[in-house]
Amino acid sequence: MPKVMEFACPAGLLTRTGRASSTVRPVHTLDTLVRLCPPPVGPPRAVDWAEAERSLGTALPADYKLLVETYGDGLFDETIWLLVPNSAHTDCDLHAQTAERAEILATLWDAGEERPAELLEKGARVLPWAFEEGTGAFLYWLVRPGRHPDEWTVLYNEGRGPLWEHHDTGCLAFLLAVLTGTAETEYFGYLYEVLQPEEHRFVPAVAMLEASGQ
């Protein structure tokens, strides 16, 4: 079986103490994230959510929509790229990455790599919402049959190996926990050990890619 690490946080932030706040709501979590890591001055491009959800064949979580409407596609703390529907940049496009990751994972599993335990449930699948800079690692939603999108939790896959981590929280709370160093995870070492930012920074995809000449 692939190594799977389970970190439970029913409705709030993941913490190193294992405690969680059951009263944290997405809008409050977003307010905390915005104070910690200011979004772009100009509003990001508007998303046609109805069209995006039709294209994906599923509704999307409310906390993710808040993230996208506040930040748009781009990079948090030189570490986490946020995917958005119909991004002008393929690497940040939710639709393109959903198709690509589905093909890659299917190939791996057909070749004999074992699925994480969370995906052994009939009808369970993953959808990507972010990826880690320079590692090949992806952050997914765990989509389970009969679960509302606002109940989707987070699966981290290291990308170049079989390890998966399950985090029993939504994408917004997980992102905030990673940036604040309170997430119970064995990953994001570059952020925690090298950068150790005193000030957190979000850079829109267009600025990052123009700076790199892409």
Side-chain angles (χ1 to χ4, degrees), residues 151-199:
E151 298 177 291
W152 292 353
T153 53
V154 171
L155 276 172
Y156 174 99
N157 176 238
E158 62 180 333
R160 299 189 178 116
L163 191 140
W164 293 75
E165 285 183 349
H166 180 222
H167 298 272
D168 195 11
T169 188
C171 63
L172 174 55
F174 180 74
L175 174 62
L176 178 59
V178 170
L179 298 187
T180 55
T182 59
E184 289 282 2
T185 176
E186 293 195 354
Y187 291 91
F188 304 103
Y190 182 71
L191 174 63
Y192 296 152
E193 298 160 14
V194 179
L195 294 179
Q196 298 179 339
E198 294 183 5
E199 294 184 358

mmCIF file of all heavy atoms in Angstrom, residues 151-199:
data_model
loop_
_atom_site.group_PDB
_atom_site.id
_atom_site.type_symbol
_atom_site.label_atom_id
_atom_site.label_comp_id
_atom_site.label_asym_id
_atom_site.label_seq_id
_atom_site.Cartn_x
_atom_site.Cartn_y
_atom_site.Cartn_z
ATOM 1 N N GLU A 151 -17.806 19.941 1.504
ATOM 2 C CA GLU A 151 -17.306 18.907 2.412
ATOM 3 C C GLU A 151 -16.054 18.214 1.869
ATOM 4 O O GLU A 151 -15.501 17.350 2.541
ATOM 5 C CB GLU A 151 -18.396 17.854 2.656
ATOM 6 C CG GLU A 151 -19.647 18.388 3.316
ATOM 7 C CD GLU A 151 -20.708 17.301 3.460
ATOM 8 O OE1 GLU A 151 -21.255 16.860 2.435
ATOM 9 O OE2 GLU A 151 -20.975 16.888 4.599
ATOM 10 N N TRP A 152 -15.611 18.605 0.675
ATOM 11 C CA TRP A 152 -14.408 17.985 0.128
ATOM 12 C C TRP A 152 -13.201 18.314 1.001
ATOM 13 O O TRP A 152 -13.053 19.424 1.492
ATOM 14 C CB TRP A 152 -14.140 18.492 -1.277
ATOM 15 C CG TRP A 152 -15.143 18.070 -2.311
ATOM 16 C CD1 TRP A 152 -16.177 17.197 -2.158
ATOM 17 C CD2 TRP A 152 -15.213 18.530 -3.659
ATOM 18 N NE1 TRP A 152 -16.885 17.072 -3.323
ATOM 19 C CE2 TRP A 152 -16.315 17.886 -4.271
ATOM 20 C CE3 TRP A 152 -14.454 19.425 -4.414
ATOM 21 C CZ2 TRP A 152 -16.663 18.107 -5.596
ATOM 22 C CZ3 TRP A 152 -14.799 19.660 -5.733
ATOM 23 C CH2 TRP A 152 -15.895 18.996 -6.321
ATOM 24 N N THR A 153 -12.325 17.342 1.170
ATOM 25 C CA THR A 153 -11.114 17.527 1.941
ATOM 26 C C THR A 153 -9.906 17.506 1.009
ATOM 27 O O THR A 153 -10.045 17.403 -0.208
ATOM 28 C CB THR A 153 -11.009 16.443 3.033
ATOM 29 O OG1 THR A 153 -11.153 15.143 2.433
ATOM 30 C CG2 THR A 153 -12.109 16.632 4.080
ATOM 31 N N VAL A 154 -8.722 17.609 1.574
ATOM 32 C CA VAL A 154 -7.503 17.802 0.792
ATOM 33 C C VAL A 154 -6.639 16.545 0.794
ATOM 34 O O VAL A 154 -6.414 15.933 1.838
ATOM 35 C CB VAL A 154 -6.687 18.989 1.360
ATOM 36 C CG1 VAL A 154 -5.312 19.075 0.703
ATOM 37 C CG2 VAL A 154 -7.454 20.290 1.175
ATOM 38 N N LEU A 155 -6.149 16.184 -0.379
ATOM 39 C CA LEU A 155 -5.140 15.139 -0.524
ATOM 40 C C LEU A 155 -3.901 15.759 -1.156
ATOM 41 O O LEU A 155 -3.990 16.436 -2.188
ATOM 42 C CB LEU A 155 -5.641 14.002 -1.413
ATOM 43 C CG LEU A 155 -6.484 12.910 -0.766
ATOM 44 C CD1 LEU A 155 -7.039 11.978 -1.838
ATOM 45 C CD2 LEU A 155 -5.662 12.111 0.240
ATOM 46 N N TYR A 156 -2.759 15.528 -0.535
ATOM 47 C CA TYR A 156 -1.474 15.965 -1.086
ATOM 48 C C TYR A 156 -0.756 14.744 -1.642
ATOM 49 O O TYR A 156 -0.656 13.715 -0.969
ATOM 50 C CB TYR A 156 -0.636 16.602 0.021
ATOM 51 C CG TYR A 156 0.774 16.976 -0.398
ATOM 52 C CD1 TYR A 156 1.088 18.283 -0.749
ATOM 53 C CD2 TYR A 156 1.803 16.031 -0.434
ATOM 54 C CE1 TYR A 156 2.379 18.643 -1.134
ATOM 55 C CE2 TYR A 156 3.089 16.375 -0.822
ATOM 56 C CZ TYR A 156 3.371 17.674 -1.165
ATOM 57 O OH TYR A 156 4.646 18.013 -1.555
ATOM 58 N N ASN A 157 -0.265 14.847 -2.868
ATOM 59 C CA ASN A 157 0.536 13.777 -3.454
ATOM 60 C C ASN A 157 1.898 14.331 -3.820
ATOM 61 O O ASN A 157 2.002 15.355 -4.487
ATOM 62 C CB ASN A 157 -0.145 13.196 -4.684
ATOM 63 C CG ASN A 157 0.717 12.137 -5.372
ATOM 64 O OD1 ASN A 157 1.036 12.286 -6.535
ATOM 65 N ND2 ASN A 157 1.088 11.092 -4.670
ATOM 66 N N GLU A 158 2.945 13.652 -3.383
ATOM 67 C CA GLU A 158 4.290 14.176 -3.575
ATOM 68 C C GLU A 158 4.717 14.222 -5.035
ATOM 69 O O GLU A 158 5.717 14.852 -5.372
ATOM 70 C CB GLU A 158 5.300 13.372 -2.762
ATOM 71 C CG GLU A 158 5.393 11.907 -3.157
ATOM 72 C CD GLU A 158 6.422 11.164 -2.319
ATOM 73 O OE1 GLU A 158 7.376 11.798 -1.832
ATOM 74 O OE2 GLU A 158 6.266 9.946 -2.154
ATOM 75 N N GLY A 159 3.979 13.588 -5.928
ATOM 76 C CA GLY A 159 4.209 13.769 -7.350
ATOM 77 C C GLY A 159 5.269 12.871 -7.936
ATOM 78 O O GLY A 159 5.060 12.266 -8.981
ATOM 79 N N ARG A 160 6.411 12.774 -7.286
ATOM 80 C CA ARG A 160 7.485 11.923 -7.806
ATOM 81 C C ARG A 160 7.691 10.724 -6.895
ATOM 82 O O ARG A 160 8.797 10.198 -6.764
ATOM 83 C CB ARG A 160 8.773 12.731 -7.961
ATOM 84 C CG ARG A 160 8.605 13.896 -8.952
ATOM 85 C CD ARG A 160 9.916 14.584 -9.288
ATOM 86 N NE ARG A 160 9.682 15.644 -10.257
ATOM 87 C CZ ARG A 160 9.886 16.927 -10.027
ATOM 88 N NH1 ARG A 160 10.326 17.326 -8.841
ATOM 89 N NH2 ARG A 160 9.667 17.830 -10.958
ATOM 90 N N GLY A 161 6.624 10.315 -6.255
ATOM 91 C CA GLY A 161 6.663 9.168 -5.353
ATOM 92 C C GLY A 161 5.257 8.794 -4.943
ATOM 93 O O GLY A 161 4.297 9.470 -5.293
ATOM 94 N N PRO A 162 5.113 7.716 -4.169
ATOM 95 C CA PRO A 162 3.784 7.177 -3.875
ATOM 96 C C PRO A 162 3.094 7.767 -2.650
ATOM 97 O O PRO A 162 1.979 7.390 -2.339
ATOM 98 C CB PRO A 162 4.086 5.694 -3.635
ATOM 99 C CG PRO A 162 5.456 5.698 -3.020
ATOM 100 C CD PRO A 162 6.192 6.825 -3.711
ATOM 101 N N LEU A 163 3.747 8.682 -1.937
ATOM 102 C CA LEU A 163 3.169 9.123 -0.674
ATOM 103 C C LEU A 163 2.029 10.112 -0.885
ATOM 104 O O LEU A 163 2.135 11.052 -1.675
ATOM 105 C CB LEU A 163 4.228 9.758 0.227
ATOM 106 C CG LEU A 163 3.741 10.009 1.666
ATOM 107 C CD1 LEU A 163 4.829 9.683 2.671
ATOM 108 C CD2 LEU A 163 3.273 11.441 1.860
ATOM 109 N N TRP A 164 0.941 9.866 -0.171
ATOM 110 C CA TRP A 164 -0.214 10.765 -0.137
ATOM 111 C C TRP A 164 -0.466 11.158 1.309
ATOM 112 O O TRP A 164 -0.276 10.351 2.222
ATOM 113 C CB TRP A 164 -1.462 10.066 -0.680
ATOM 114 C CG TRP A 164 -1.429 9.735 -2.134
ATOM 115 C CD1 TRP A 164 -0.718 8.723 -2.737
ATOM 116 C CD2 TRP A 164 -2.150 10.395 -3.177
ATOM 117 N NE1 TRP A 164 -0.949 8.720 -4.083
ATOM 118 C CE2 TRP A 164 -1.831 9.731 -4.387
ATOM 119 C CE3 TRP A 164 -3.040 11.473 -3.210
ATOM 120 C CZ2 TRP A 164 -2.370 10.114 -5.614
ATOM 121 C CZ3 TRP A 164 -3.582 11.853 -4.418
ATOM 122 C CH2 TRP A 164 -3.243 11.182 -5.617
ATOM 123 N N GLU A 165 -0.872 12.385 1.525
ATOM 124 C CA GLU A 165 -1.330 12.838 2.836
ATOM 125 C C GLU A 165 -2.784 13.271 2.715
ATOM 126 O O GLU A 165 -3.130 14.005 1.794
ATOM 127 C CB GLU A 165 -0.534 14.061 3.318
ATOM 128 C CG GLU A 165 0.853 13.785 3.806
ATOM 129 C CD GLU A 165 1.530 15.062 4.318
ATOM 130 O OE1 GLU A 165 0.987 16.173 4.101
ATOM 131 O OE2 GLU A 165 2.591 14.938 4.928
ATOM 132 N N HIS A 166 -3.589 12.833 3.662
ATOM 133 C CA HIS A 166 -4.983 13.281 3.701
ATOM 134 C C HIS A 166 -5.142 14.288 4.833
ATOM 135 O O HIS A 166 -4.732 14.040 5.962
ATOM 136 C CB HIS A 166 -5.926 12.101 3.941
ATOM 137 C CG HIS A 166 -7.367 12.518 3.984
ATOM 138 N ND1 HIS A 166 -8.254 12.018 4.901
ATOM 139 C CD2 HIS A 166 -8.070 13.418 3.242
ATOM 140 C CE1 HIS A 166 -9.450 12.577 4.717
ATOM 141 N NE2 HIS A 166 -9.351 13.429 3.713
ATOM 142 N N HIS A 167 -5.740 15.429 4.508
ATOM 143 C CA HIS A 167 -5.996 16.478 5.496
ATOM 144 C C HIS A 167 -7.497 16.742 5.531
ATOM 145 O O HIS A 167 -8.091 17.134 4.524
ATOM 146 C CB HIS A 167 -5.239 17.752 5.133
ATOM 147 C CG HIS A 167 -3.756 17.565 5.131
ATOM 148 N ND1 HIS A 167 -2.981 17.726 6.253
ATOM 149 C CD2 HIS A 167 -2.912 17.184 4.128
ATOM 150 C CE1 HIS A 167 -1.715 17.484 5.949
ATOM 151 N NE2 HIS A 167 -1.647 17.148 4.675
ATOM 152 N N ASP A 168 -8.082 16.533 6.680
ATOM 153 C CA ASP A 168 -9.531 16.596 6.810
ATOM 154 C C ASP A 168 -9.989 18.043 7.006
ATOM 155 O O ASP A 168 -10.517 18.426 8.052
ATOM 156 C CB ASP A 168 -9.986 15.722 7.984
ATOM 157 C CG ASP A 168 -11.484 15.457 7.956
ATOM 158 O OD1 ASP A 168 -12.120 15.761 6.930
ATOM 159 O OD2 ASP A 168 -12.013 14.945 8.951
ATOM 160 N N THR A 169 -9.765 18.842 5.963
ATOM 161 C CA THR A 169 -10.138 20.244 5.975
ATOM 162 C C THR A 169 -10.271 20.709 4.535
ATOM 163 O O THR A 169 -9.849 20.013 3.611
ATOM 164 C CB THR A 169 -9.087 21.087 6.726
ATOM 165 O OG1 THR A 169 -9.558 22.412 6.894
ATOM 166 C CG2 THR A 169 -7.767 21.106 5.979
ATOM 167 N N GLY A 170 -10.855 21.887 4.330
ATOM 168 C CA GLY A 170 -11.011 22.415 2.989
ATOM 169 C C GLY A 170 -9.743 23.078 2.477
ATOM 170 O O GLY A 170 -8.765 23.264 3.219
ATOM 171 N N CYS A 171 -9.753 23.487 1.207
ATOM 172 C CA CYS A 171 -8.539 24.011 0.583
ATOM 173 C C CYS A 171 -8.105 25.346 1.182
ATOM 174 O O CYS A 171 -6.908 25.586 1.369
ATOM 175 C CB CYS A 171 -8.711 24.111 -0.926
ATOM 176 S SG CYS A 171 -9.993 25.258 -1.496
ATOM 177 N N LEU A 172 -9.027 26.219 1.498
ATOM 178 C CA LEU A 172 -8.678 27.533 2.034
ATOM 179 C C LEU A 172 -8.028 27.414 3.406
ATOM 180 O O LEU A 172 -6.973 28.014 3.670
ATOM 181 C CB LEU A 172 -9.934 28.410 2.105
ATOM 182 C CG LEU A 172 -9.805 29.773 2.779
ATOM 183 C CD1 LEU A 172 -8.689 30.601 2.155
ATOM 184 C CD2 LEU A 172 -11.136 30.526 2.695
ATOM 185 N N ALA A 173 -8.623 26.627 4.288
ATOM 186 C CA ALA A 173 -8.051 26.441 5.617
ATOM 187 C C ALA A 173 -6.698 25.747 5.538
ATOM 188 O O ALA A 173 -5.773 26.066 6.291
ATOM 189 C CB ALA A 173 -9.008 25.642 6.499
ATOM 190 N N PHE A 174 -6.568 24.807 4.610
ATOM 191 C CA PHE A 174 -5.289 24.113 4.473
ATOM 192 C C PHE A 174 -4.205 25.070 3.979
ATOM 193 O O PHE A 174 -3.076 25.070 4.488
ATOM 194 C CB PHE A 174 -5.409 22.926 3.528
ATOM 195 C CG PHE A 174 -4.118 22.175 3.361
ATOM 196 C CD1 PHE A 174 -3.637 21.362 4.377
ATOM 197 C CD2 PHE A 174 -3.364 22.299 2.208
ATOM 198 C CE1 PHE A 174 -2.429 20.697 4.251
ATOM 199 C CE2 PHE A 174 -2.157 21.632 2.067
ATOM 200 C CZ PHE A 174 -1.690 20.820 3.088
ATOM 201 N N LEU A 175 -4.516 25.891 2.993
ATOM 202 C CA LEU A 175 -3.555 26.852 2.485
ATOM 203 C C LEU A 175 -3.089 27.790 3.593
ATOM 204 O O LEU A 175 -1.882 28.048 3.749
ATOM 205 C CB LEU A 175 -4.171 27.660 1.341
ATOM 206 C CG LEU A 175 -3.336 28.811 0.783
ATOM 207 C CD1 LEU A 175 -2.031 28.308 0.193
ATOM 208 C CD2 LEU A 175 -4.128 29.591 -0.263
ATOM 209 N N LEU A 176 -4.007 28.308 4.373
ATOM 210 C CA LEU A 176 -3.646 29.198 5.467
ATOM 211 C C LEU A 176 -2.750 28.481 6.473
ATOM 212 O O LEU A 176 -1.760 29.046 6.960
ATOM 213 C CB LEU A 176 -4.905 29.723 6.155
ATOM 214 C CG LEU A 176 -4.683 30.644 7.362
ATOM 215 C CD1 LEU A 176 -3.871 31.877 6.973
ATOM 216 C CD2 LEU A 176 -6.024 31.052 7.973
ATOM 217 N N ALA A 177 -3.071 27.227 6.768
ATOM 218 C CA ALA A 177 -2.255 26.465 7.711
ATOM 219 C C ALA A 177 -0.843 26.245 7.185
ATOM 220 O O ALA A 177 0.132 26.316 7.932
ATOM 221 C CB ALA A 177 -2.928 25.126 8.013
ATOM 222 N N VAL A 178 -0.718 25.983 5.888
ATOM 223 C CA VAL A 178 0.613 25.808 5.308
ATOM 224 C C VAL A 178 1.419 27.097 5.420
ATOM 225 O O VAL A 178 2.582 27.095 5.843
ATOM 226 C CB VAL A 178 0.517 25.357 3.835
ATOM 227 C CG1 VAL A 178 1.891 25.424 3.159
ATOM 228 C CG2 VAL A 178 -0.026 23.935 3.742
ATOM 229 N N LEU A 179 0.825 28.222 5.048
ATOM 230 C CA LEU A 179 1.549 29.485 5.067
ATOM 231 C C LEU A 179 1.950 29.900 6.477
ATOM 232 O O LEU A 179 2.993 30.539 6.670
ATOM 233 C CB LEU A 179 0.718 30.590 4.414
ATOM 234 C CG LEU A 179 0.372 30.406 2.940
ATOM 235 C CD1 LEU A 179 -0.311 31.666 2.399
ATOM 236 C CD2 LEU A 179 1.595 30.071 2.101
ATOM 237 N N THR A 180 1.146 29.566 7.465
ATOM 238 C CA THR A 180 1.450 29.940 8.844
ATOM 239 C C THR A 180 2.300 28.904 9.564
ATOM 240 O O THR A 180 2.662 29.084 10.720
ATOM 241 C CB THR A 180 0.156 30.173 9.648
ATOM 242 O OG1 THR A 180 -0.669 29.001 9.566
ATOM 243 C CG2 THR A 180 -0.603 31.376 9.110
ATOM 244 N N GLY A 181 2.612 27.805 8.869
ATOM 245 C CA GLY A 181 3.461 26.777 9.480
ATOM 246 C C GLY A 181 2.758 25.936 10.508
ATOM 247 O O GLY A 181 3.409 25.300 11.340
ATOM 248 N N THR A 182 1.424 25.899 10.477
ATOM 249 C CA THR A 182 0.670 25.114 11.456
ATOM 250 C C THR A 182 0.104 23.827 10.878
ATOM 251 O O THR A 182 -0.547 23.064 11.592
ATOM 252 C CB THR A 182 -0.481 25.946 12.049
ATOM 253 O OG1 THR A 182 -1.346 26.371 10.993
ATOM 254 C CG2 THR A 182 0.054 27.163 12.794
ATOM 255 N N ALA A 183 0.325 23.577 9.590
ATOM 256 C CA ALA A 183 -0.197 22.358 8.969
ATOM 257 C C ALA A 183 0.612 21.150 9.415
ATOM 258 O O ALA A 183 1.844 21.195 9.455
ATOM 259 C CB ALA A 183 -0.149 22.477 7.445
ATOM 260 N N GLU A 184 -0.075 20.094 9.749
ATOM 261 C CA GLU A 184 0.579 18.836 10.101
ATOM 262 C C GLU A 184 0.943 18.123 8.803
ATOM 263 O O GLU A 184 0.169 17.319 8.277
ATOM 264 C CB GLU A 184 -0.346 17.978 10.968
ATOM 265 C CG GLU A 184 -0.546 18.503 12.374
ATOM 266 C CD GLU A 184 0.631 18.198 13.294
ATOM 267 O OE1 GLU A 184 1.620 17.604 12.808
ATOM 268 O OE2 GLU A 184 0.561 18.557 14.478
ATOM 269 N N THR A 185 2.114 18.420 8.268
ATOM 270 C CA THR A 185 2.531 17.858 6.999
ATOM 271 C C THR A 185 4.033 17.624 7.005
ATOM 272 O O THR A 185 4.777 18.353 7.677
ATOM 273 C CB THR A 185 2.150 18.787 5.826
ATOM 274 O OG1 THR A 185 2.656 18.255 4.600
ATOM 275 C CG2 THR A 185 2.686 20.195 6.030
ATOM 276 N N GLU A 186 4.480 16.633 6.250
ATOM 277 C CA GLU A 186 5.900 16.371 6.120
ATOM 278 C C GLU A 186 6.500 17.107 4.926
ATOM 279 O O GLU A 186 7.682 16.948 4.634
ATOM 280 C CB GLU A 186 6.146 14.863 5.975
ATOM 281 C CG GLU A 186 5.813 14.083 7.230
ATOM 282 C CD GLU A 186 6.387 12.683 7.227
ATOM 283 O OE1 GLU A 186 6.954 12.276 6.190
ATOM 284 O OE2 GLU A 186 6.277 12.014 8.258
ATOM 285 N N TYR A 187 5.696 17.914 4.273
ATOM 286 C CA TYR A 187 6.145 18.571 3.053
ATOM 287 C C TYR A 187 6.211 20.090 3.216
ATOM 288 O O TYR A 187 6.098 20.608 4.312
ATOM 289 C CB TYR A 187 5.277 18.135 1.878
ATOM 290 C CG TYR A 187 5.554 16.688 1.577
ATOM 291 C CD1 TYR A 187 4.804 15.682 2.172
ATOM 292 C CD2 TYR A 187 6.638 16.327 0.777
ATOM 293 C CE1 TYR A 187 5.108 14.350 1.951
ATOM 294 C CE2 TYR A 187 6.950 15.000 0.553
ATOM 295 C CZ TYR A 187 6.183 14.011 1.140
ATOM 296 O OH TYR A 187 6.499 12.695 0.936
ATOM 297 N N PHE A 188 6.440 20.790 2.117
ATOM 298 C CA PHE A 188 6.632 22.238 2.086
ATOM 299 C C PHE A 188 7.878 22.649 2.871
ATOM 300 O O PHE A 188 7.927 23.714 3.480
ATOM 301 C CB PHE A 188 5.390 22.975 2.610
ATOM 302 C CG PHE A 188 4.134 22.608 1.871
ATOM 303 C CD1 PHE A 188 3.211 21.746 2.427
ATOM 304 C CD2 PHE A 188 3.920 23.086 0.592
ATOM 305 C CE1 PHE A 188 2.060 21.372 1.733
ATOM 306 C CE2 PHE A 188 2.771 22.723 -0.112
ATOM 307 C CZ PHE A 188 1.847 21.864 0.463
ATOM 308 N N GLY A 189 8.888 21.783 2.828
ATOM 309 C CA GLY A 189 10.134 22.055 3.540
ATOM 310 C C GLY A 189 10.825 23.319 3.060
ATOM 311 O O GLY A 189 11.437 24.040 3.852
ATOM 312 N N TYR A 190 10.754 23.620 1.752
ATOM 313 C CA TYR A 190 11.401 24.829 1.238
ATOM 314 C C TYR A 190 10.818 26.071 1.905
ATOM 315 O O TYR A 190 11.539 26.989 2.286
ATOM 316 C CB TYR A 190 11.230 24.909 -0.281
ATOM 317 C CG TYR A 190 11.912 26.103 -0.909
ATOM 318 C CD1 TYR A 190 13.301 26.171 -0.999
ATOM 319 C CD2 TYR A 190 11.172 27.171 -1.405
ATOM 320 C CE1 TYR A 190 13.932 27.274 -1.564
ATOM 321 C CE2 TYR A 190 11.799 28.271 -1.970
ATOM 322 C CZ TYR A 190 13.186 28.318 -2.050
ATOM 323 O OH TYR A 190 13.805 29.409 -2.602
ATOM 324 N N LEU A 191 9.507 26.060 2.063
ATOM 325 C CA LEU A 191 8.840 27.194 2.696
ATOM 326 C C LEU A 191 9.232 27.299 4.165
ATOM 327 O O LEU A 191 9.594 28.372 4.656
ATOM 328 C CB LEU A 191 7.329 27.053 2.558
ATOM 329 C CG LEU A 191 6.459 28.076 3.286
ATOM 330 C CD1 LEU A 191 6.705 29.471 2.736
ATOM 331 C CD2 LEU A 191 4.986 27.719 3.150
ATOM 332 N N TYR A 192 9.181 26.166 4.858
ATOM 333 C CA TYR A 192 9.409 26.181 6.301
ATOM 334 C C TYR A 192 10.879 26.324 6.681
ATOM 335 O O TYR A 192 11.226 27.008 7.646
ATOM 336 C CB TYR A 192 8.866 24.896 6.935
ATOM 337 C CG TYR A 192 7.373 24.705 6.823
ATOM 338 C CD1 TYR A 192 6.825 23.428 6.796
ATOM 339 C CD2 TYR A 192 6.505 25.792 6.753
ATOM 340 C CE1 TYR A 192 5.456 23.233 6.709
ATOM 341 C CE2 TYR A 192 5.138 25.613 6.663
ATOM 342 C CZ TYR A 192 4.617 24.327 6.644
ATOM 343 O OH TYR A 192 3.263 24.135 6.552
ATOM 344 N N GLU A 193 11.748 25.652 5.921
ATOM 345 C CA GLU A 193 13.147 25.548 6.332
ATOM 346 C C GLU A 193 14.067 26.539 5.618
ATOM 347 O O GLU A 193 15.100 26.934 6.159
ATOM 348 C CB GLU A 193 13.645 24.120 6.076
ATOM 349 C CG GLU A 193 12.882 23.078 6.892
ATOM 350 C CD GLU A 193 13.022 21.682 6.318
ATOM 351 O OE1 GLU A 193 13.916 21.480 5.468
ATOM 352 O OE2 GLU A 193 12.238 20.801 6.712
ATOM 353 N N VAL A 194 13.711 26.933 4.400
ATOM 354 C CA VAL A 194 14.577 27.820 3.627
ATOM 355 C C VAL A 194 14.050 29.255 3.644
ATOM 356 O O VAL A 194 14.736 30.180 4.061
ATOM 357 C CB VAL A 194 14.724 27.313 2.175
ATOM 358 C CG1 VAL A 194 15.612 28.263 1.369
ATOM 359 C CG2 VAL A 194 15.296 25.901 2.163
ATOM 360 N N LEU A 195 12.819 29.445 3.174
ATOM 361 C CA LEU A 195 12.276 30.802 3.088
ATOM 362 C C LEU A 195 11.972 31.399 4.460
ATOM 363 O O LEU A 195 12.368 32.512 4.766
ATOM 364 C CB LEU A 195 11.016 30.811 2.228
ATOM 365 C CG LEU A 195 11.201 30.481 0.753
ATOM 366 C CD1 LEU A 195 9.863 30.509 0.041
ATOM 367 C CD2 LEU A 195 12.156 31.473 0.097
ATOM 368 N N GLN A 196 11.242 30.629 5.266
ATOM 369 C CA GLN A 196 10.813 31.100 6.583
ATOM 370 C C GLN A 196 10.391 32.581 6.527
ATOM 371 O O GLN A 196 10.943 33.436 7.223
ATOM 372 C CB GLN A 196 11.938 30.919 7.606
ATOM 373 C CG GLN A 196 12.342 29.480 7.807
ATOM 374 C CD GLN A 196 13.466 29.318 8.810
ATOM 375 O OE1 GLN A 196 14.217 30.242 9.096
ATOM 376 N NE2 GLN A 196 13.590 28.129 9.363
ATOM 377 N N PRO A 197 9.403 32.892 5.688
ATOM 378 C CA PRO A 197 9.080 34.306 5.445
ATOM 379 C C PRO A 197 8.512 35.012 6.668
ATOM 380 O O PRO A 197 7.683 34.474 7.386
ATOM 381 C CB PRO A 197 8.025 34.226 4.333
ATOM 382 C CG PRO A 197 7.398 32.878 4.505
ATOM 383 C CD PRO A 197 8.505 31.975 4.976
ATOM 384 N N GLU A 198 9.010 36.210 6.893
ATOM 385 C CA GLU A 198 8.423 37.063 7.922
ATOM 386 C C GLU A 198 7.217 37.803 7.356
ATOM 387 O O GLU A 198 6.299 38.162 8.088
ATOM 388 C CB GLU A 198 9.461 38.058 8.441
ATOM 389 C CG GLU A 198 10.609 37.379 9.189
ATOM 390 C CD GLU A 198 11.590 38.379 9.750
ATOM 391 O OE1 GLU A 198 11.327 39.598 9.641
ATOM 392 O OE2 GLU A 198 12.616 37.951 10.303
ATOM 393 N N GLU A 199 7.254 38.053 6.044
ATOM 394 C CA GLU A 199 6.123 38.646 5.346
ATOM 395 C C GLU A 199 5.726 37.713 4.215
ATOM 396 O O GLU A 199 6.582 37.234 3.471
ATOM 397 C CB GLU A 199 6.487 40.024 4.781
ATOM 398 C CG GLU A 199 6.768 41.055 5.850
ATOM 399 C CD GLU A 199 7.032 42.424 5.254
ATOM 400 O OE1 GLU A 199 7.026 42.534 4.006
ATOM 401 O OE2 GLU A 199 7.226 43.376 6.026
#
